[in-house]
Amino acid sequence: MAIPTPHLEAKQGEIAACVLMPGDPLRAQVVAENYLTEVVRYNSVRGMYGFTGLYKGQRVSVQGSGMGMPSIGIYSYELYHFYDVQKIIRIGSAGALSDSLEIGDLVFGVSASTNSNYAAMFELPGTYAPTASFPLLQQAAAAAQKRGLRWQAGNILSSDTFYGESENFLARWKAMGVLAVEMEAAALYMNAAQANKQALCILTISDCPFKQQSTTAEQRQNGFTDMMEVALDLI
């Protein structure tokens, strides 16, 4: 595939080896405007903004992924395979399944269960278990601990659906010890494994469905700075 790709208009060398990847492209803009210097926007195709700049003298990019595994699957594949990106750190929101989680807590996805058929394209003779890069996970846990943040690490659920689940859909995953639900990590982890690259999903709890608690769209876009700062510690 030629550079630029159908979804990224960046030229070779315009994207850093480490990419922070929120689902919301406006969150990518928030990270770039508030944390990076010497910022250059390298992508606006489909409104999926991407920026490269410096954080404490280190080069880093931040790229929106959109919602769902097909979308992050496209962007992460192109970044790994055509732009020589070495690690992608997803920074997203999630719904809490564990009763021990509260709004604003961080969750590091050690593994990502899923109801998606994304793994079928790899034609594996069994069920694949998507997992994070352990070095990134170690660094994230240490960074959160140093900052005195509330965090947990464990299994998360990457769901293909946001609406229409049966009443006990989330309860059944909760009963298996799954900490939180989001929509992208499993595809990211599978693409990273296939490309022999690194990936980690860092989530901020934005909703607690079993407690009927939630945040606003503006809070999800402009807040959650703890997650951003931990991710930036990993570059």
Side-chain angles (χ1 to χ4, degrees):
M1 185 180 292
I3 303 294
T5 71
H7 310 94
L8 295 168
E9 58 190 343
K11 300 180 178 64
Q12 198 69 53
E14 291 185 336
I15 301 178
C18 177
V19 176
L20 275 56
M21 183 166 276
D24 186 348
L26 295 179
R27 187 182 294 148
Q29 184 170 304
V30 168
V31 174
E33 290 177 348
N34 289 277
Y35 290 101
L36 306 187
T37 60
E38 300 182 30
V39 176
V40 175
R41 191 180 74 185
Y42 62 76
N43 194 66
S44 60
V45 175
R46 295 173 178 259
M48 202 58 65
Y49 298 135
F51 306 87
T52 296
L54 298 178
Y55 178 73
K56 297 182 178 180
Q58 298 186 75
R59 196 163 179 261
V60 63
S61 296
V62 55
Q63 171 66 56
S65 74
M67 290 186 289
M69 281 175 271
S71 189
I72 198 172
I74 290 170
Y75 288 102
S76 60
Y77 186 96
E78 292 184 358
L79 290 170
Y80 284 138
H81 289 274
F82 304 122
Y83 288 96
D84 201 29
V85 169
Q86 297 301 305
K87 55 187 177 183
I88 296 176
I89 303 163
R90 165 164 156 67
I91 48 174
S93 58
L97 301 186
S98 170
D99 292 333
S100 63
L101 288 167
E102 300 176 3
I103 286 178
D105 287 356
L106 300 188
V107 173
F108 305 135
V110 177
S111 54
S113 298
T114 185
N115 59 354
S116 169
N117 201 37
Y118 192 89
M121 70 175 179
F122 299 106
E123 299 182 342
L124 297 166
T127 302
Y128 183 74
T131 54
S133 165
F134 188 62
L136 288 179
L137 180 63
Q138 283 183 306
Q139 293 171 44
Q145 194 75 17
K146 184 177 180 179
R147 291 176 178 273
L149 303 176
R150 283 178 51 92
W151 64 276
Q152 293 187 44
N155 195 3
I156 60 176
L157 170 64
S158 297
S159 179
D160 258 351
T161 51
F162 189 88
Y163 296 110
E165 300 96 343
S166 62
E167 289 184 4
N168 64 349
F169 174 79
L170 292 180
R172 292 171 70 179
W173 288 104
K174 176 182 178 181
M176 292 298 292
V178 175
L179 294 178
V181 57
E182 54 87 65
M183 301 186 72
E184 289 84 26
L188 172 61
Y189 287 1
M190 284 187 260
N191 279 1
Q194 191 270 338
N196 195 27
K197 302 293 180 73
Q198 296 188 73
L200 175 65
C201 180
I202 302 177
L203 302 167
T204 300
I205 296 301
S206 60
D207 304 273
C208 296
F210 292 103
K211 301 175 185 178
Q212 297 184 330
Q213 299 172 345
S214 62
T215 55
T216 66
E218 183 178 359
Q219 287 173 317
R220 291 191 293 273
Q221 175 186 305
N222 298 319
F224 300 168
T225 56
D226 289 341
M227 168 177 65
M228 300 172 187
E229 292 168 5
V230 168
L232 287 165
D233 286 340
L234 309 185
I235 66 174

